[in-house]
Amino acid sequence: MPILESDNFYLRNISLEDCNENYLGWMNDSEINQYLESRFTTHTIDSLKNFVTSMNSSENNILFAIIDKESDKHIGNIKLGGIHPVHKYADIGLVIGDKNYWGRGIATNAISLVCKYAFDELNLRKVFAGVYENNIGSIKAFKKCGFKKAYIKKDTYFFNGDFIDAFVFELYNKNLVD
């Protein structure tokens, strides 16, 4: 798997060496994981290793570690998942786990890199992203990357004692769609 590069960070396949206390801390931090479906699980190093192993052995998922170039520090993950080779679509999920990197445009740039990879290398037609209605940072990042709201899944996610909507965003490969 090639490394995908931006000015300040790069994406590479996640490895078992990334399954450390740093990564574990993000996944068990209620502020960081509040919009992740995995928030309902208490994670361990072993559960992270099992997840990474399943992602790396999957033909339909790619999990990238987001690495800060200056420090070579693992600061988040972005997944291209549910890759469907016949229908030519996939979905994106991400977490910026290190709060020191929030608000720096890293999510936006990581989404752009993964979409470019999905379209140019995997020849996908469309990429989706599901976002909680109150996840303003992710909504902004996907919109900056050209994603459009495709539909709303009403009262889908249980969040802070109530059911909230989920927005589904999509981006089409301009080279394959009129």
Side-chain angles (χ1 to χ4, degrees):
M1 178 67 53
I3 292 177
L4 309 176
E5 290 196 56
S6 178
D7 290 340
N8 301 323
F9 67 91
Y10 62 93
L11 306 179
R12 62 159 169 77
N13 262 17
I14 196 162
S15 70
L16 291 177
E17 289 76 33
D18 295 312
C19 299
N20 54 33
E21 293 297 326
N22 180 48
Y23 182 12
L24 181 64
W26 315 335
M27 297 310 293
N28 288 322
D29 182 312
S30 61
E31 184 181 15
I32 293 169
N33 74 19
Q34 67 182 319
Y35 300 116
L36 303 178
E37 288 304 289
S38 62
R39 74 182 183 275
F40 301 109
T41 303
T42 300
H43 299 276
T44 65
I45 296 289
D46 285 339
S47 70
L48 294 178
K49 286 181 177 180
N50 289 338
F51 175 67
V52 166
T53 298
S54 73
M55 288 292 106
N56 286 342
S57 65
S58 171
E59 293 182 11
N60 299 323
N61 296 289
I62 303 170
L63 183 61
F64 294 101
I66 303 170
I67 308 296
D68 176 61
K69 276 186 177 178
E70 186 177 318
S71 65
D72 209 36
K73 183 178 181 183
H74 179 204
I75 60 170
N77 297 331
I78 186 164
K79 180 180 82 164
L80 189 61
I83 300 167
H84 200 291
V86 174
H87 298 304
K88 297 197 170 291
Y89 66 77
D91 62 84
I92 292 179
L94 76 147
V95 60
I96 304 301
D98 188 322
K99 295 177 191 177
N100 295 316
Y101 291 86
W102 286 7
R104 294 188 182 185
I106 291 169
T108 302
N109 289 331
I111 292 164
S112 290
L113 283 175
V114 166
C115 288
K116 181 172 177 28
Y117 179 78
F119 296 154
D120 295 351
E121 302 301 323
L122 301 179
N123 201 33
L124 297 183
R125 182 176 173 271
K126 179 169 35 172
V127 179
F128 292 99
V131 181
Y132 287 32
E133 69 177 314
N134 56 351
N135 187 345
I136 304 305
S138 286
I139 291 169
K140 286 180 179 178
F142 283 108
K143 284 183 174 180
K144 284 180 186 174
C145 292
F147 280 72
K148 304 291 183 209
K149 193 183 301 179
Y151 57 93
I152 299 171
K153 294 170 21 178
K154 298 296 287 177
D155 298 327
T156 300
Y157 293 120
F158 192 70
F159 186 85
N160 289 340
D162 202 6
F163 286 93
I164 63 170
D165 295 347
F167 299 151
V168 177
F169 289 90
E170 62 187 6
L171 180 67
Y172 284 91
N173 184 342
K174 293 176 184 170
N175 296 323
L176 298 178
V177 178
D178 296 329

